[in-house]
Amino acid sequence: MNAATTATAKAATKIPFTSSIGWALSGWALFVAENAVLSENRTFLIDQLGDDPYHWLYGTCSTAAMGSIGYSYYYLRKRQQQQASSVASAVTRFGLLRHPIVAMAASWTSLTLGLVLALQGLPAMQVPISPTTMQVRCPFDFAPRQGSQETNAADPSACLFGLERITRHPGLWSFGLIGLGNAALHPAGAPLRLWWMGPALVAWLGGSHTDSRYRRNLGGSMDPHYDSVTSNLPFAATLTGKQGPVGSSLSKIIEELKPLNAGLGALIATVWVVSRGRLRL
């Protein structure tokens, strides 16, 4: 940065962002809170209201919370574009964070992990022409893929397969990691960076609360052995040795993933970071 640029960025940091930070966090906080309260008191509310009214109430509150999240993004995005002297515009204009390569690498890593988790939910992709018979085939392999459902003392993770080895909540964490990847493309202090961190907050707190309820047989259940060899945080159980030797566990994850699906996720993340990670996001 030159002297004029540095002065502009420093002046921008003096502008208060209290209201913007409130906009960035309030919608996500409301979403987490209403889900926690309504799900924690599920049995009581169903007894008092009935099953259908309870689900109507749950859906209405969740829709309202998501509406506030969407509006807050619109508000913050519009404000960031209008305030040329704000931290977001000044720092983004003259340099993405202080270490753009580090920020973009962090973004790519998080986005890739999130997209890999998300795309594993699709049928396994395959080359539409068989390399051995040269016959045309469906680009998706719909054959079931699952592991053993039995426990094994020699291999505590024998009952797991695929994404279960990574996290108990792949859907939540795909959303959360994609959010973190986008957050890394915003300068430090920008309210939109906090907004993009919201999905990870939902994944962490929402997943933890779901696990807590299932351990108490509230709205679901969780096998104690399954609980002991899996984790809410991605890769936590793998890297702490709960699934056996770390190297062996990581190898099993790679073997059980759908490779073309994962490759597509990495490609999408690369294109997104290269195109959005410069100055436009």
Side-chain angles (χ1 to χ4, degrees), residues 213-227:
R213 291 192 298 109
Y214 284 4
R215 291 185 185 110
R216 292 175 284 142
N217 295 316
L218 183 61
S221 61
M222 180 159 36
D223 178 74
H225 176 75
Y226 180 83
D227 187 12

Side-chain angles (χ1 to χ4, degrees), residues 69-81:
I69 291 170
Y71 182 78
S72 67
Y73 178 84
Y74 167 80
Y75 171 84
L76 293 171
R77 175 80 175 182
K78 185 176 181 180
R79 178 168 178 171
Q80 178 171 305
Q81 292 173 339

Side-chain angles (χ1 to χ4, degrees), residues 136-151:
V136 178
R137 61 184 181 181
C138 178
F140 292 99
D141 181 4
F142 292 94
R145 295 161 56 92
Q146 63 181 15
S148 171
Q149 300 301 309
E150 300 178 358
T151 59

Side-chain angles (χ1 to χ4, degrees), residues 183-208:
L185 295 177
H186 286 274
L192 271 178
R193 189 179 205 186
L194 290 177
W195 188 93
W196 276 111
M197 291 179 178
L201 179 69
V202 171
W204 176 42
L205 296 180
S208 296

Side-chain angles (χ1 to χ4, degrees), residues 20-230:
S20 295
I21 291 174
W23 276 102
L25 298 179
S26 59
W28 294 111
L30 175 62
F31 182 78
V32 171
E34 61 90 9
N35 272 273
V37 170
L38 292 178
S39 60
E40 184 68 25
N41 297 282
R42 181 176 186 274
T43 302
F44 172 78
L45 290 173
I46 289 178
D47 289 342
Q48 298 297 314
L49 303 175
D51 190 69
D52 288 342
Y54 166 78
H55 286 93
W56 182 88
L57 174 64
Y58 200 119
T60 300
C61 291
S62 294
T63 301
M66 290 304 297
S68 70
I69 291 170
Y71 182 78
S72 67
Y73 178 84
Y74 167 80
Y75 171 84
L76 293 171
R77 175 80 175 182
K78 185 176 181 180
R79 178 168 178 171
Q80 178 171 305
Q81 292 173 339
Q82 291 176 341
Q83 294 182 336
S85 62
S86 68
V87 173
S89 355
V91 180
T92 302
R93 178 180 300 174
F94 299 113
L96 182 63
L97 301 177
R98 293 185 178 180
H99 305 286
I101 299 301
V102 174
M104 293 175 72
S107 174
W108 181 85
T109 301
S110 186
L111 282 171
T112 297
L113 289 174
L115 288 167
V116 166
L117 289 178
L119 293 176
Q120 292 301 303
L122 297 176
M125 298 178 181
Q126 59 184 0
V127 178
I129 299 179
S130 173
T132 55
T133 63
M134 301 304 294
Q135 292 182 340
V136 178
R137 61 184 181 181
C138 178
F140 292 99
D141 181 4
F142 292 94
R145 295 161 56 92
Q146 63 181 15
S148 171
Q149 300 301 309
E150 300 178 358
T151 59
N152 187 335
D155 181 5
S157 67
C159 61
L160 305 179
F161 187 83
L163 299 185
E164 293 177 313
R165 299 183 183 277
I166 300 175
T167 173
R168 284 191 287 266
H169 306 287
L172 285 176
W173 278 108
S174 64
F175 186 45
L177 288 167
I178 290 172
L180 289 178
N182 280 292
L185 295 177
H186 286 274
L192 271 178
R193 189 179 205 186
L194 290 177
W195 188 93
W196 276 111
M197 291 179 178
L201 179 69
V202 171
W204 176 42
L205 296 180
S208 296
H209 184 246
T210 298
D211 292 341
S212 173
R213 291 192 298 109
Y214 284 4
R215 291 185 185 110
R216 292 175 284 142
N217 295 316
L218 183 61
S221 61
M222 180 159 36
D223 178 74
H225 176 75
Y226 180 83
D227 187 12
S228 69
V229 296
T230 57

